[in-house]
Amino acid sequence: MKKSLVQLALGLLIGGGFLYFAQRRIDLPEVWKLLSNCDAYLFSALCVSLTGVQLLRSERWLRTFSRSYGLLRRTVYRAFFLGNAANSFLPGRLGDLIRAGMIRQGHVEIGLGLAVGTVAIEKLADLTVVMALLLTLIFTMPLPSWVHDTAVTGLLILLSAVPVVLFVSWSHRALHRWETSARQGAIGTGLRAVMRILKGFVDAFQLAANGHNIKWILFLSLLIWSLETVAVFLSIHSFGLDIPVTAAALTLVLLSFGTMLPAAPGFVGTYQWLTVMALGFFSVDETLAFAIGVLLNFSVIIINVGTGLIAYFFLKCESRTKPAATYDAHLTKDRIHGSE
């Protein structure tokens, strides 16, 4: 509880600081006027794009699990939507842990380590695609030095994952041997629990390394970030700006790195400051750039909360209308990869 409060306080402090620096030279009444006059059709298309991103991310998370677990597609989607909605209100992306915990309910064979490991795989896939996008921008257009510094930081973060992957490859067999020793009582209870979590985490990476899984994860990651770029592009053009798609790509890259930091719930402040920074390179007025950041931030929150509420509604309806013992039996057609 104390840790959550510290994260919330730190997030509010950082988000508040970003918001202060973003709006100190902003004409706030003009921001409201700009938002009131933005293109309604492009705003609708923006919301559709963000909804598509949510669906693609849910499907990608599903693909990080082995089909042998028999997970229902709607179960994974629902957990993802609810966890993502929680991220709009909780600090430190605690919603990711919430959805990992939800997926374990009714699937005792999926431990905490495995569930958290699948979330880590998502983050690694996202970072890989974002770094590829950033390096493409660096090599195709002149960018300020701080963008190059961002690329160096991203590469260091990505390279730091290499030891983890090497450890996973080396430790898989060792963990199986230790698990056997644990079953025979040769290892204490506390250490046994830690090893079980670690083994689940390693197993998640082993499952993702499967040829079929990794292809889907990478393919869906490319689709996700392509559609994210479209969403940012639509938010910019909904204000009548005619600037290249590279502006949307650079804005998206900075937002992706910025949301890795502790932030206020919903990333309020972070979105606005980074949008002003990114679009300033394309000579966009700060007030207009701030309004774009507000629109994009608002759209993300609305879609996250909206899909979460829909998921919660169906969860309550199903729990009232179907006995728990027969629930899964009625939904076997939606099992993982069942449509293939």
Side-chain angles (χ1 to χ4, degrees):
M1 180 66 178
K2 290 182 179 179
K3 184 178 179 181
S4 297
L5 290 175
V6 170
Q7 289 177 330
L8 178 59
L10 182 60
L12 290 173
L13 182 63
I14 294 175
F18 283 161
L19 189 59
Y20 168 75
F21 284 112
Q23 62 80 43
R24 58 181 177 168
R25 291 180 295 186
I26 302 301
D27 183 355
L28 294 179
E30 181 65 17
V31 170
W32 175 250
K33 182 179 178 180
L34 289 168
L35 289 170
S36 302
N37 294 324
C38 73
D39 191 302
Y41 293 106
L42 290 179
F43 174 71
S44 300
L46 166 62
C47 292
V48 171
S49 299
L50 292 174
T51 303
V53 169
Q54 290 282 73
L55 293 171
L56 288 172
R57 286 189 177 277
S58 302
E59 182 65 24
R60 184 182 62 177
W61 190 35
L62 176 68
R63 300 284 175 164
T64 62
F65 292 95
S66 168
R67 67 177 67 190
S68 63
Y69 290 117
L71 286 171
L72 303 174
R73 179 168 275 106
R74 67 179 62 186
T75 299
V76 175
Y77 278 43
R78 183 170 58 215
F80 184 90
F81 290 156
L82 289 171
N84 222 28
N87 279 332
S88 298
F89 302 100
L90 299 176
R93 301 198 69 91
L94 291 177
D96 291 338
L97 294 180
I98 290 174
R99 62 177 166 108
M102 288 184 63
I103 212 66
R104 297 175 59 205
Q105 298 177 2
H107 295 274
V108 294
E109 71 278 16
I110 299 178
L112 177 63
L114 184 101
V116 173
T118 59
V119 176
I121 290 166
E122 288 182 311
K123 305 307 179 187
L124 185 58
D126 283 338
L127 182 58
T128 301
V129 176
V130 169
M131 281 308 305
L133 179 58
L134 178 54
L135 292 175
T136 301
L137 290 173
I138 288 175
F139 287 113
T140 56
M141 61 183 295
L143 290 171
S145 59
W146 56 265
V147 176
H148 292 260
D149 294 339
T150 302
V152 171
T153 302
L155 281 174
L156 290 175
I157 296 173
L158 190 58
L159 289 174
S160 68
V162 174
V164 176
V165 175
L166 292 176
F167 170 77
V168 166
S169 178
W170 170 82
S171 65
H172 195 248
R173 291 184 181 180
L175 285 171
H176 276 289
R177 289 197 300 268
W178 293 343
E179 184 182 34
T180 302
S181 299
R183 289 173 180 172
Q184 295 171 352
I187 297 176
T189 304
L191 184 57
R192 192 183 312 165
V194 172
M195 286 174 48
R196 185 164 56 248
I197 293 174
L198 183 59
K199 179 181 177 296
F201 191 86
V202 170
D203 284 344
F205 276 84
Q206 286 289 324
L207 291 171
N210 174 278
H212 180 76
N213 284 4
I214 196 65
K215 289 176 183 177
W216 270 109
I217 293 169
L218 291 175
F219 173 68
L220 289 170
S221 296
L222 289 172
L223 286 181
I224 287 165
W225 287 98
S226 297
L227 198 53
E228 291 261 27
T229 304
V230 169
V232 178
F233 183 78
L234 289 170
S235 69
I236 294 172
H237 280 255
S238 65
F239 291 90
L241 281 176
D242 186 17
I243 55 178
V245 71
T246 50
L250 180 60
T251 304
L252 179 61
V253 167
L254 292 187
L255 288 174
S256 65
F257 280 109
T259 52
M260 293 178 186
L261 300 172
F267 299 102
V268 175
T270 308
Y271 261 79
Q272 289 73 36
W273 182 62
L274 293 173
T275 304
V276 170
M277 281 189 64
L279 295 181
F281 177 73
F282 295 89
S283 302
V284 177
D285 177 73
E286 289 190 359
T287 297
L288 180 54
F290 186 89
I292 293 170
V294 170
L295 180 70
L296 188 58
N297 192 195
F298 174 76
S299 302
V300 169
I301 293 174
I302 287 296
I303 297 301
N304 288 353
V305 174
T307 52
L309 288 174
I310 292 171
Y312 181 75
F313 172 77
F314 280 104
L315 175 65
K316 299 299 289 185
C317 288
E318 289 171 350
S319 64
R320 292 175 181 174
T321 58
K322 294 188 178 180
T326 60
Y327 176 66
D328 284 353
H330 286 286
L331 300 175
T332 53
K333 65 180 180 179
D334 285 330
R335 290 195 179 278
I336 185 169
H337 310 319
S339 61
E340 298 177 356

